[in-house]
Amino acid sequence: MLFRLSGNSRRKIAEAGTNADGRVDGALLEGRAFRPGQYEIVFQAGDYLRATGQPDRFLDRIPVRF
């Protein structure tokens, strides 16, 4: 999930799943949506680990702000 940050709030602006290579198939932001600002992407690592039968780990959601 991709969020746009503004002060103490955040708004979800995109969501995508990854392919077999662990990448999204297209750009998360394009055109007018692609503008300077503060963003946070949250990787749903726990969902992936559970779906692949791996034991529960301490990684669940991994936020990266930029």
Side-chain angles (χ1 to χ4, degrees):
M1 288 184 277
L2 180 65
F3 298 90
R4 182 165 175 79
L5 305 176
S6 178
N8 290 329
S9 66
R10 68 181 191 166
R11 181 175 54 96
K12 185 165 82 169
I13 57 173
E15 186 170 352
T18 56
N19 59 28
D21 291 334
R23 302 173 191 202
V24 295
D25 289 326
L28 291 175
L29 293 176
E30 294 183 291
R32 297 181 75 175
F34 187 54
R35 59 182 201 233
Q38 294 182 341
Y39 296 88
E40 178 180 76
I41 190 165
V42 180
F43 297 95
Q44 306 288 330
D47 293 346
Y48 169 78
L49 293 171
R50 286 185 288 281
T52 57
Q54 298 182 45
D56 284 341
R57 311 264 171 137
F58 67 93
L59 297 176
D60 186 29
R61 290 182 172 83
I62 304 169
V64 177
R65 288 188 174 187
F66 53 97

